Amino acid sequence: MKTIKNLFSIILLGVFSIAANLNAAPGGNNSETLTIVEHANASEELKTLFATITVSDLTEILQSDGPFTIFAPSDEAFSKLPEGMLLSLINPDNKEELIKLLANHVIIGEINSSDLTSGMITKNVQGNSMKIDVSGDVVKINGSRIMTSDIKASNGIVHVVDQVILPPLK
């Protein structure tokens, strides 16, 4: 297990060193000039998301024009996954599963928090249904609470969520 943790640390360090180039985005670090990927890289709470996007080779897609809405799991959300799951997902042999997991958090088009209503159903890029629940100030998507909403990126909207939204079992 120690070897796997060391491997994960080495992978993340490599990803973070590659990321230094993305931080030099034109226009500075104004979130509206950053793509969703650049925002994840610049955010202190989305480092694991950025690393998984990079490892899965989804960087180019999530830097394209979009627009996209991403329900971005925080680092804390990733830490809640069952032990060993994240390490398994970043294994090159499991790249397709990682892509499915990440795609489960992405919707085509921009959806602001003010557009979300209780009982609303939307589809992610995987075609899976995403159910919205609103109770007072608490907004959840498939049970994952939106902690920070409406972060404007140049190619969409980011909502930071407190849980990784797992694809349905098939």
Side-chain angles (χ1 to χ4, degrees):
M1 186 66 167
K2 187 176 180 181
T3 305
I4 294 172
K5 287 182 180 179
N6 289 341
L7 176 62
F8 183 63
S9 296
I10 291 167
I11 291 170
L12 286 180
L13 285 173
V15 168
F16 293 145
S17 66
I18 292 168
N21 294 328
L22 289 177
N23 271 337
N29 277 343
N30 175 353
S31 69
E32 290 189 29
T33 64
L34 300 177
T35 66
I36 289 170
V37 173
E38 292 166 338
H39 178 76
N41 179 41
S43 172
E44 288 302 314
E45 66 182 339
L46 300 176
K47 294 298 184 191
T48 306
L49 176 65
F50 175 75
T52 57
I53 288 170
T54 304
V55 169
S56 66
D57 293 329
L58 291 176
T59 304
E60 187 175 331
I61 292 168
L62 291 175
Q63 288 190 139
S64 67
D65 291 341
F68 305 105
T69 298
I70 185 165
F71 296 94
S74 66
D75 292 343
E76 185 176 332
F78 276 105
S79 75
K80 294 176 186 176
L81 287 173
E83 187 174 337
M85 183 176 191
L86 183 58
L87 291 174
S88 175
L89 287 168
I90 65 167
N91 180 320
D93 292 338
N94 297 328
K95 184 176 177 179
E96 289 302 314
E97 291 304 311
L98 178 58
I99 290 170
K100 287 178 189 175
L101 176 82
L102 294 173
N104 205 51
H105 294 81
V106 180
I107 295 172
I108 300 295
E110 288 188 10
I111 302 175
N112 291 298
S113 62
S114 60
D115 300 327
L116 301 172
T117 59
S118 204
M120 177 181 174
I121 305 284
T122 188
K123 298 253 184 205
N124 62 29
V125 295
Q126 289 286 92
N128 299 324
S129 294
M130 308 290 286
K131 184 177 183 224
I132 308 300
D133 291 307
V134 180
S135 178
D137 292 344
V138 176
V139 179
K140 292 183 177 183
I141 182 154
N142 281 13
S144 184
R145 182 178 180 177
I146 296 176
M147 304 304 291
T148 306
S149 60
D150 301 326
I151 302 166
K152 181 75 175 132
S154 64
N155 62 340
I157 302 281
V158 177
H159 303 288
V160 179
V161 294
D162 71 342
Q163 294 178 45
V164 174
I165 304 169
L166 298 174
L169 296 174
K170 298 201 177 198

